[in-house]
Amino acid sequence: MASVGTDIARPAPHEPPPVLPGPPIPSEPVTLADSLMVEAGWSPANFGETGPNPPYLRIGGKLRVTLSDYEPCFSSFHRDRVLFRSKVSMLEHLQKYDQIMVDPAAFEECYGPGEGTEATFPFGAWLTIRKVSFEGLDLWGRRCGAVTLPLEPLTVASAIWLRNAPRPGLQG
């Protein structure tokens, strides 16, 4: 026979609330090359190594499944035998991150010496990604306002940094 004290249900241990879908979880900065290797399954063989700041990739266009929409994409420097890994939608890939930072080496390699100055682009600042198009990436920074990053510097995949920004009030 059970006593009164043993019939009382013990409270369940405290469980954290379920995770709700929301903004991306803050992340450590990663280069564009590393993000393509992790997120898209690329290998080092997909990148070019000739130049002062490897790895490199190509910027291309990708037809969507409907064959009516053409969009910018990251393209393997060396053609991959697996078609779907050779081209990665720029929009889909960059949606996994919300901020980008550009190293001056990307501009200097694409446009020549002296182009990696604050007069040409806000280098070293984390900028929010707003839009992806063939004209470039529309970005926004707290100190610099709206800017457009041309697509050419993205080819220097070692000089482009991506992250999910820490949210105010969150500690990670």
Side-chain angles (χ1 to χ4, degrees), residues 95-124:
Q95 281 178 340
K96 297 173 185 168
Y97 304 93
D98 60 359
Q99 289 189 331
I100 190 169
M101 181 172 55
V102 180
D103 188 286
F107 268 62
E108 292 197 355
E109 199 163 325
C110 290
Y111 304 119
E115 291 299 318
T117 66
E118 289 297 317
T120 56
F121 191 81
F123 298 105

Side-chain angles (χ1 to χ4, degrees), residues 15-111:
E15 294 181 23
V19 177
L20 300 175
I25 296 171
S27 65
E28 292 294 318
V30 62
T31 65
L32 177 57
D34 290 336
S35 73
L36 286 166
M37 286 191 272
V38 170
E39 300 288 336
W42 282 19
S43 73
N46 289 97
F47 298 95
E49 294 294 325
T50 305
N53 296 299
Y56 299 98
L57 56 85
R58 290 195 170 124
I59 303 297
K62 181 176 183 177
L63 286 177
R64 289 188 160 277
V65 176
T66 63
L67 300 178
S68 64
D69 199 12
Y70 197 63
E71 66 176 279
C73 71
F74 298 118
S75 185
S76 173
F77 199 84
H78 301 288
R79 183 105 174 122
D80 197 21
R81 289 186 186 260
V82 180
L83 178 66
F84 297 107
R85 289 177 49 191
S86 292
K87 291 186 177 185
V88 174
S89 166
M90 212 179 277
L91 178 63
E92 288 176 18
H93 188 74
L94 293 176
Q95 281 178 340
K96 297 173 185 168
Y97 304 93
D98 60 359
Q99 289 189 331
I100 190 169
M101 181 172 55
V102 180
D103 188 286
F107 268 62
E108 292 197 355
E109 199 163 325
C110 290
Y111 304 119

